[in-house]
Amino acid sequence: MLTDPVTGTRDETKLANIKSSIEIFEKFLEDFEREHRSKQNNTYISLGLVETSLDLAGDRVSEQQRAFIEAYRSVEGQYKRLRTVRGEEDITWDIIRNRVLAEMKDKYADVKLFDEEDKPTPEHLDMLLWAYSPERERVRKLMREKETAENRENGESPNKKMRTE
């Protein structure tokens, strides 16, 4: 519990409102931790890795995934800007992505993400096309990142070559 956060006011109404707000916030934090909501966070992978995934997926890319990738390209891989880019039914791509990924996480909860050659499985590619992987660091190590405006601008060169041999 937080100690008395307000020493700059003596107004009883203001003090009551602040204390009420703190109680609500503390309850939120407890619920957040108890319900493991941080695991609901769908961290983005780079646009370069999405582009590589697009090449690997070939014809198995849905129209919705293509539209998302176009939106991701339009913001040059700056995922926070997807919160303002409208997609289907006038909903932002960030919200659409999170809804799709929530379904995919349930559907693919027990699937294998990599095959024997350390290549992403079709199910994993499905998630990668939405700029997400439960194994984000492993993907970064195993897959070659295509050069994009995003990594060129950051002075980065695409990372290690994907093991395909």
Side-chain angles (χ1 to χ4, degrees), residues 33-114:
E33 191 170 312
R34 185 182 64 251
E35 295 172 14
H36 306 287
R37 289 187 187 165
S38 63
K39 291 182 180 179
Q40 295 172 3
N41 187 10
N42 298 319
T43 308
Y44 282 79
I45 62 170
S46 70
L47 179 57
L49 289 174
V50 173
E51 296 284 3
T52 300
S53 302
L54 185 59
D55 290 346
L56 291 173
D59 295 339
R60 296 184 312 238
V61 183
S62 73
E63 287 304 312
Q64 188 183 39
Q65 287 169 322
R66 287 187 192 284
F68 166 76
I69 294 167
E70 279 306 311
Y72 201 25
R73 285 178 183 146
S74 76
V75 297
E76 298 175 340
Q78 296 177 23
Y79 62 88
K80 289 180 181 179
R81 291 177 51 200
L82 286 174
R83 296 174 187 157
T84 61
V85 178
R86 303 264 176 218
E88 305 162 352
E89 301 175 21
D90 206 34
I91 300 171
T92 65
W93 276 109
D94 189 56
I95 293 171
I96 294 168
R97 175 183 178 267
N98 287 333
R99 288 178 182 171
V100 170
L101 287 174
E103 292 175 20
M104 279 187 170
K105 284 177 167 182
D106 288 340
K107 181 178 174 184
Y108 297 151
D110 299 321
V111 301
K112 195 172 172 185
L113 298 176
F114 296 92

Side-chain angles (χ1 to χ4, degrees), residues 2-42:
L2 297 174
T3 58
D4 186 14
V6 198
T7 56
T9 186
R10 301 220 188 277
D11 184 299
E12 292 300 319
T13 305
K14 287 181 182 178
L15 288 171
N17 289 341
I18 291 170
K19 288 178 181 178
S20 173
S21 298
I22 290 172
E23 287 176 22
I24 291 169
F25 183 64
E26 286 176 338
K27 181 173 180 350
F28 164 79
L29 290 176
E30 289 170 10
D31 292 347
F32 188 86
E33 191 170 312
R34 185 182 64 251
E35 295 172 14
H36 306 287
R37 289 187 187 165
S38 63
K39 291 182 180 179
Q40 295 172 3
N41 187 10
N42 298 319

